[in-house]
Amino acid sequence: MLYNVSIVMGRRRQKPMPAVLTAEDLPTAPTVPFFKRLNQLLEDAGFESFVEELCQPFYAQRMGRPSLPPGVYFRLLLLGFLMGLDSERRIALMACDSLSLRAFLGYGLHERTPDHSTLSRTRRLLSLEVHEQVFSWVLERLREAGLAEGNNLTVDATTLQANAALKTLRHKQTQQGYRAFVRSLAEAAGETVESEEDLNRFDKKRKGKSLSNAEWESPTDPDARVAKMKDGSTKMAYKAEHAVDLDSGALVGITVQEADQGDTKTLPETLEAVQDAQGSSPETVVLDRGYHSDETLERIEAEGADSYVPEPKRKPRNWAGKPERQRRHEENEKRVASEAGREYSKQRTEKVERSMAHMYATGAMRRLWLRGKENVRKRLLIHACGFNLGVLMRSLTGTGTPRGLQGMPADLAKC
């Protein structure tokens, strides 16, 4: 059925501001109840006093310009996850323009919000250990609520595009750019190179052509590595590895490593990060085929956990003289084929992929604007804090992000 509704066309004009403007006269966004509830949660848990005491050694007692309070700094980085802001410039711009974000940060209309340079400098000054302790503090709040016990764990990794370009690569020995390096090879081979087409022709037919990380590095971001992205393209990248609690879906560990490292090489660092964050080892570790190796099964058993790692299709192995490896292999194979193993496999796909979708798709961190492994991990740790606070908020109120609030602002405001 069609309804004939008459709508009067409005005209763009700026209404004069009243002589007296109170706080009640200001418009409010639908996200205001969410940020109020999140601020209340942080305040009840003593977040402000915790981060101020934690960051005190990094602040001067008397000298220097007015600083960015630690509580405001971490809230600004949380906004990157909550609002899907990829760079610190965009975070600073949104914080300045939005009334609801000003209220979340504790800034009035007459106050100047922090600019991106202040945010970046504070991130560089605060150590990685501080960010790790804030991450552990958020995990502790989840455990108090009966979440993120970390008994059943799954680990998976993804690549993040680094803030560096392939065309800026330099050869480690000669320090030449790629084009200059190919030109020198052509001259050494006695080839005549008079144009770019000649150079491209020589480069295309020469043997041994590669962009090996052993030979090439980025001068702007030495920690980045040449790697294949999820879409199949080749870019400078980092590798982010998630450890996710299978019961609650919370992130209990996250590391940033070289993108050219295999899963079996990066797993130990992630398991160690989980141990440091929650102070205990998991009872069950569920992984995909890329992690299967003798070393992986041995390490998981040494942690006192049961492994659920499907084995890739391989030729039959000769176990002569390797009874322990054979035992671990067969026990793991039985667990994977069991009903519990099939259920864990389903949960692994759901929980770990969800964390990556929130962190890097809606959280806008698939393309990095920071350089250096330490800087990237600082930002990811606070992103992970935002993800975990979303898990906690969802258990308390039914919604864990400002976007998810849009359909239920009235209900959340009563929480």
Side-chain angles (χ1 to χ4, degrees):
M1 181 182 294
L2 299 177
Y3 295 91
N4 186 13
V5 180
S6 298
I7 301 177
V8 180
M9 183 179 67
R11 296 184 180 277
R12 184 181 180 276
R13 62 188 180 87
Q14 185 174 1
K15 296 181 180 180
M17 184 176 292
V20 178
L21 187 66
T22 63
E24 289 74 15
D25 297 327
L26 296 175
T28 58
T31 55
V32 167
F34 175 86
F35 287 119
K36 282 185 177 180
R37 185 66 180 88
L38 179 56
N39 258 339
Q40 180 185 344
L41 187 154
L42 294 175
E43 183 180 349
D44 293 344
F47 177 74
E48 215 72 35
S49 58
F50 168 76
V51 294
E52 287 178 1
E53 181 180 355
L54 182 65
C55 300
Q56 184 62 47
F58 298 91
Y59 286 80
Q61 295 296 325
R62 298 181 182 179
M63 302 174 60
R65 69 174 187 174
S67 61
L68 180 62
V72 176
Y73 163 74
F74 288 111
R75 281 179 172 84
L76 282 167
L77 292 189
L78 284 175
L79 290 179
F81 169 79
L82 295 171
M83 304 300 293
L85 305 174
D86 55 358
S87 68
E88 292 170 350
R89 286 179 180 270
R90 291 194 63 194
I91 292 174
L93 179 62
M94 285 292 294
C96 180
D97 285 349
S98 172
L99 296 177
S100 59
L101 299 189
R102 279 176 170 268
F104 174 62
L105 298 172
Y107 284 85
L109 288 177
H110 62 289
E111 294 181 286
R112 180 177 178 178
T113 56
D115 54 32
H116 75 276
S117 61
T118 301
L119 177 58
S120 299
R121 179 163 178 79
T122 305
R123 170 182 43 75
R124 291 193 299 269
L125 290 177
L126 296 181
S127 67
L128 177 60
E129 289 73 20
V130 166
H131 294 74
E132 291 173 340
Q133 290 183 56
V134 173
F135 175 75
S136 298
W137 183 89
V138 173
L139 273 183
E140 185 61 31
R141 305 289 78 76
L142 267 70
R143 284 194 289 269
E144 289 175 357
L147 305 169
E149 296 295 337
N151 294 327
N152 301 317
L153 194 70
T154 181
V155 179
D156 205 355
T158 187
T159 50
L160 309 178
Q161 184 180 346
N163 190 16
L166 289 173
K167 64 181 180 181
T168 64
L169 288 177
R170 293 287 182 269
H171 197 274
K172 290 184 177 180
Q173 292 183 350
T174 64
Q175 290 301 307
Q176 291 176 304
Y178 184 77
R179 306 295 291 176
F181 178 74
V182 174
R183 187 178 293 274
S184 66
L185 292 179
E187 293 174 353
E191 296 283 342
T192 301
V193 179
E194 297 179 351
S195 64
E196 289 295 317
E197 292 182 359
D198 295 337
L199 189 63
N200 291 336
R201 192 178 302 111
F202 171 80
D203 186 34
K204 186 176 182 179
K205 68 179 182 180
R206 71 185 179 92
K207 297 181 179 180
K209 180 176 66 173
S210 69
L211 282 177
S212 169
N213 287 299
E215 299 177 354
W216 297 87
E217 67 178 355
S218 170
T220 56
D221 191 355
D223 291 341
R225 296 290 185 269
V226 180
K228 279 202 170 184
M229 306 299 290
K230 291 296 183 181
D231 59 1
S233 61
T234 300
K235 289 183 172 65
M236 303 300 295
Y238 284 93
K239 180 179 182 179
E241 197 162 49
H242 288 202
V244 179
D245 177 59
L246 281 175
D247 298 319
S248 64
L251 267 168
V252 295
I254 183 169
T255 58
V256 178
Q257 304 185 54
E258 287 79 8
D260 58 343
Q261 297 294 311
D263 290 341
T264 57
K265 300 294 183 183
T266 58
L267 178 64
E269 183 175 334
T270 303
L271 292 179
E272 185 178 347
V274 172
Q275 176 74 24
D276 294 340
Q278 64 180 21
S280 61
S281 299
E283 298 175 1
T284 301
V285 178
V286 184
L287 306 171
D288 63 18
R289 286 181 172 84
Y291 287 93
H292 191 282
S293 70
D294 294 337
E295 292 75 15
T296 297
L297 299 182
E298 183 178 356
R299 181 179 180 86
I300 293 175
E301 185 179 73
E303 296 282 343
D306 292 332
S307 61
Y308 290 79
V309 193
E311 183 178 7
K313 291 183 178 180
R314 295 170 177 164
K315 296 180 180 179
R317 297 180 60 179
N318 182 7
W319 297 109
K322 304 173 184 177
E324 284 300 305
R325 289 188 177 184
Q326 183 180 9
R327 176 187 60 80
R328 282 191 290 266
H329 174 87
E330 292 175 350
E331 291 177 354
N332 172 76
E333 191 174 8
K334 289 180 181 178
R335 285 192 292 265
V336 170
S338 67
E339 183 178 349
R342 291 192 294 271
E343 183 62 29
Y344 280 142
S345 179
K346 293 178 183 178
Q347 292 182 15
R348 183 197 68 80
T349 304
E350 174 190 348
K351 300 294 175 60
V352 76
E353 293 297 336
R354 179 183 296 167
S355 71
M356 291 178 179
H358 280 288
M359 290 274 288
Y360 308 124
T362 57
M365 280 288 285
R366 180 65 68 181
R367 167 65 162 93
L368 300 171
W369 295 101
L370 300 174
R371 289 172 177 163
K373 187 164 66 173
E374 184 172 299
N375 277 326
V376 172
R377 185 154 187 252
K378 287 178 182 179
R379 181 79 190 274
L380 285 190
L381 280 168
I382 307 305
H383 245 56
C385 288
F387 177 82
N388 285 340
L389 287 171
V391 173
L392 181 57
M393 289 280 286
R394 194 172 290 110
S395 69
L396 297 175
T397 65
T399 183
T401 61
R403 287 191 184 93
L405 166 73
Q406 301 299 321
M408 51 176 300
D411 296 338
L412 184 58
K414 297 177 183 179
C415 295

